Amino acid sequence: MVAPASVFGLVLPLILWADRSEGIGFHFASYIDNYMVLQKEPAGAVIWGFGIPGATVTVTLCQGQEAIMKKVTSVKAASNTWMVVLDPMKPGGPFEVMAQQFLGTMTSTLRVHDVLFGDVWLCSGQSNMQMTVLQIFNATKELSDTAAYQSVRILSVSLTEAEEELEDLDAVDLRWSKPTAENLGNGYFTYMSAVCWLFGRYLYDTLQYPIGLISSSWGGTPIEAWSSERSLKACGILTKGSVMHDSVSGPSEHSVLWNAMIHPLHNMTLKGVVWYQGEANIHYNKDLYNCTFPALIEDWRQTFHSGSQGQTERFFPFGFVQLSSDLSVNNTDDGFPQIRWHQTADVGFVPNPKMPNTFMAVAMDLCDRDSPFGSIHPRDKQTVAYRLHLGARAVAYDEKNLIFQGPLPEKIELLAHKGLLNLTYYQKIQVQRQDKKIFEISCCSDHQCKWLPAPMNTFSTQILTLSINSCLGTVAALRYAWSTWPCEYKQCPLYHPSSSLPAPPFIAFITEQASGLSNDSSIWSDLK
């Protein structure tokens, strides 16, 4: 005869799992688990889950045998959910989170252990975000370098789609875990994101407190799949639709990944988001990306702020990677440069008034001709993550006097009588090599314009002179690095001298023919 305790020991986990899958019973939300990182002060972390309507739920935060705080709430009848907001906590741990449900004489208890408080970052996008540490340069060394980063915890969301917004994740590929060679290098394009991991690792090196990383990405997916119906409507895009093009190999139905892989996280208190996407929009709604991307950022911010009871900042930091390069696309095709430009809302740099509290990692010089995963998947994700983390330190953590973006000109002066164009940069520049084609001018005559090379001429600490003798008409505009593959690996012509950050691509009207341009944002207007 089997003892009753043994029977319950075998049956109870099965019952709890069945209840969880059907959204009833008493359990935490799918991503509240052992080893998780909760957002530290000044915000309060959100703890939530499902229960029996009418029941009282008490959530206790413990350290050792000591109860640090206790919060009481009740289960909402309409949704079968309960939620509490913890008091702001300093970074550190470990802690235990205990939730107890009381209904009449019945009491149920849930516990998660080894919980840390720190900064929580969500990483999303398509395949360049999905690439694992196993796929990058120096993979063996990177996979072995985890012992010092046991306070950087990782979670990977399963690839799922949904027609409606889900309240909780259907599944996770990797539950909250400490980093290991196995879970960081688990195959190709599976968990865990290399960019996400390396970004978090660089942050930890600087901040020296816990970092939580959530990877929710899917290769070959357009921005429309990650956008809510609200944000698509804001850009005049039909809420129902899909993409039919070779560049899109993942789910393309509008909003299906927002519904299944992002919205279920919206109750979580976040520090910020990093994003790497855009290749799948080269041939789909390319001209709308200057709307769809800022609209996505705004909608995610609003949704996470509301879902976390105001704990996630309304304008939380949002970082992204500007597209790299791809040999399979004709170098004169303007898809890649247009998306790069639209990623900045046609301003050329971030943060800007259309995209406040954002930061960008330029990656056009990190090309990889020999990548076994195709040149569209460059393997140097270390430099990508390093450049991203510089932006985070400056924008998200308000670190002063930190160079986090490459040089852009603040003044463009046409010297037509000398056949020259003077560019004055707001930072020091390092001219790594002279290039005859990477700068181009729009030369107009007889109401027709064409792009001609403007060879680099002379330069000094902050001034670069271009030769425009090839134009016999009127110089109407200037652009830089406006091609799919602007330069070889880390060999673009212009960098910042001390930070080695590349000058980003830009396009600008030449609006005053005889004098320097004003310093306002009008010089960054897109040339239509």
Side-chain angles (χ1 to χ4, degrees):
M1 181 176 179
V2 180
S6 301
V7 172
F8 285 122
L10 290 171
V11 175
L12 186 57
L14 297 178
I15 293 173
L16 287 175
W17 180 251
D19 284 352
R20 182 171 185 148
S21 67
E22 296 176 18
I24 59 175
F26 181 54
H27 59 85
F28 287 120
S30 59
Y31 53 81
I32 294 178
D33 211 338
N34 302 326
Y35 309 113
M36 69 179 172
V37 175
L38 295 174
Q39 183 57 43
K40 71 169 188 68
E41 63 180 3
V46 173
I47 303 293
W48 73 283
F50 296 87
I52 300 172
T56 297
V57 175
T58 300
V59 175
T60 307
L61 182 68
C62 304
Q63 190 165 37
Q65 300 301 312
E66 181 184 1
I68 305 296
M69 75 177 74
K70 184 174 291 188
K71 300 289 181 179
V72 180
T73 188
S74 58
V75 180
K76 297 178 183 178
S79 60
N80 296 340
T81 61
W82 52 269
M83 179 183 291
V84 299
V85 178
L86 300 181
D87 297 336
M89 293 287 295
K90 293 185 181 298
F95 296 89
E96 179 183 83
V97 177
M98 178 176 69
Q100 291 181 294
Q101 177 180 258
F102 302 95
L103 185 64
T105 59
M106 294 190 302
T107 301
S108 304
T109 302
L110 304 169
R111 288 185 174 88
V112 292
H113 64 81
D114 201 348
V115 175
L116 305 178
F117 284 85
D119 282 338
V120 182
W121 287 84
L122 170 61
C123 308
S124 188
Q126 54 181 110
S127 54
N128 270 305
M129 182 61 84
Q130 200 179 11
M131 285 177 71
T132 68
V133 179
L134 189 65
Q135 296 176 265
I136 66 175
F137 286 138
N138 301 316
T140 302
K141 178 182 180 298
E142 300 290 4
L143 289 172
S144 66
D145 189 20
T146 60
Y149 298 101
Q150 293 301 290
S151 291
V152 181
R153 306 290 174 82
I154 55 178
L155 167 73
S156 187
V157 175
S158 294
L159 307 186
T160 51
E161 308 172 53
E163 293 298 317
E164 304 293 336
E165 292 179 344
L166 302 183
E167 286 306 305
D168 196 11
L169 296 170
D170 266 356
V172 294
D173 278 348
L174 177 67
R175 297 167 67 175
W176 277 114
S177 304
K178 296 179 180 181
T180 66
E182 290 72 30
N183 59 31
L184 289 175
N186 183 56
Y188 294 163
F189 300 107
T190 56
Y191 60 87
M192 171 66 182
S193 162
V195 169
C196 191
W197 161 249
L198 294 166
F199 170 76
R201 202 179 71 181
Y202 286 129
L203 281 184
Y204 180 81
D205 286 341
T206 299
L207 301 171
Q208 290 295 301
Y209 60 68
I211 301 292
L213 302 171
I214 302 158
S215 176
S216 184
S217 52
W218 195 328
T221 51
I223 196 171
E224 290 79 7
W226 298 100
S227 303
S228 71
E229 290 187 2
R230 296 177 299 278
S231 60
L232 293 177
K233 283 180 179 177
C235 297
I237 296 176
L238 295 175
T239 55
K240 299 296 182 184
S242 61
V243 187
M244 303 296 287
H245 195 276
D246 292 345
S247 64
V248 179
S249 57
S252 61
E253 290 287 334
H254 294 178
S255 303
V256 292
L257 303 184
W258 159 260
N259 291 339
M261 297 177 66
I262 301 299
H263 186 269
L265 302 168
H266 79 289
N267 292 339
M268 178 184 293
T269 309
L270 292 179
K271 175 64 176 180
V273 168
V274 287
W275 171 262
Y276 195 160
Q277 189 276 336
E279 297 92 342
N281 284 94
I282 297 297
H283 299 289
Y284 181 71
N285 283 341
K286 172 186 65 181
D287 295 336
L288 291 176
Y289 204 90
N290 57 358
C291 180
T292 51
F293 186 37
L296 176 144
I297 295 172
E298 166 60 20
D299 187 64
W300 285 27
R301 284 172 165 169
Q302 186 173 354
T303 303
F304 276 85
H305 177 71
S306 175
S308 65
Q309 309 300 302
Q311 297 304 306
T312 297
E313 289 182 15
R314 174 62 180 83
F315 296 98
F316 62 74
F318 196 108
F320 62 95
V321 182
Q322 197 177 45
L323 292 192
S324 186
S325 304
D326 182 16
L327 278 175
S328 66
V329 177
N330 190 309
N331 204 38
T332 59
D333 185 290
D334 73 345
F336 267 73
Q338 286 283 0
I339 291 290
R340 291 185 192 119
W341 184 245
H342 292 336
Q343 285 179 299
T344 68
D346 299 352
V347 175
F349 60 89
V350 297
N352 63 59
K354 295 180 181 179
M355 299 176 66
N357 217 29
T358 57
F359 55 95
M360 174 177 75
V362 175
M364 66 178 183
D365 66 329
L366 302 180
C367 48
D368 187 354
R369 287 182 176 272
D370 302 317
S371 172
F373 314 104
S375 62
I376 200 170
H377 298 123
R379 289 166 290 175
D380 182 0
K381 294 299 190 273
Q382 292 90 335
T383 304
V384 169
Y386 182 78
R387 291 174 181 176
L388 265 181
H389 111 283
L390 289 178
R393 285 167 57 186
V395 174
Y397 296 98
D398 201 27
E399 187 172 333
K400 303 300 183 185
N401 303 315
L402 177 70
I403 302 298
F404 68 99
Q405 50 192 352
L408 274 167
E410 61 180 355
K411 180 180 178 183
I412 301 175
E413 184 180 13
L414 179 64
L415 305 174
H417 62 290
K418 295 183 179 180
L420 298 174
L421 199 62
N422 268 4
L423 279 63
T424 303
Y425 284 79
Y426 76 95
Q427 293 176 321
K428 292 180 179 180
I429 58 173
Q430 174 181 312
V431 177
Q432 187 158 282
R433 63 181 179 84
Q434 297 276 49
D435 192 294
K436 295 181 179 180
K437 296 181 179 180
I438 201 164
F439 282 98
E440 297 172 291
I441 50 173
S442 178
C443 183
C444 302
S445 60
D446 298 328
H447 305 291
Q448 290 186 333
C449 301
K450 63 178 179 178
W451 290 102
L452 299 175
M456 296 168 62
N457 195 317
T458 60
F459 58 90
S460 60
T461 306
Q462 288 182 251
I463 297 176
L464 175 65
T465 301
L466 307 177
S467 174
I468 57 170
N469 288 325
S470 59
C471 180
L472 301 180
T474 301
V475 177
L478 171 70
R479 67 188 188 185
Y480 172 72
W482 205 263
S483 63
T484 303
W485 193 282
C487 59
E488 293 303 317
Y489 180 74
K490 293 188 176 180
Q491 290 298 312
C492 278
L494 295 178
Y495 288 82
H496 182 267
S498 61
S499 68
S500 298
L501 293 173
F506 72 83
I507 186 168
F509 280 123
I510 307 297
T511 55
E512 298 179 21
Q513 294 298 309
S515 62
L517 290 168
S518 63
N519 290 340
D520 64 29
S521 60
S522 65
I523 67 169
W524 306 114
S525 298
D526 194 2
L527 184 67
K528 300 299 183 184

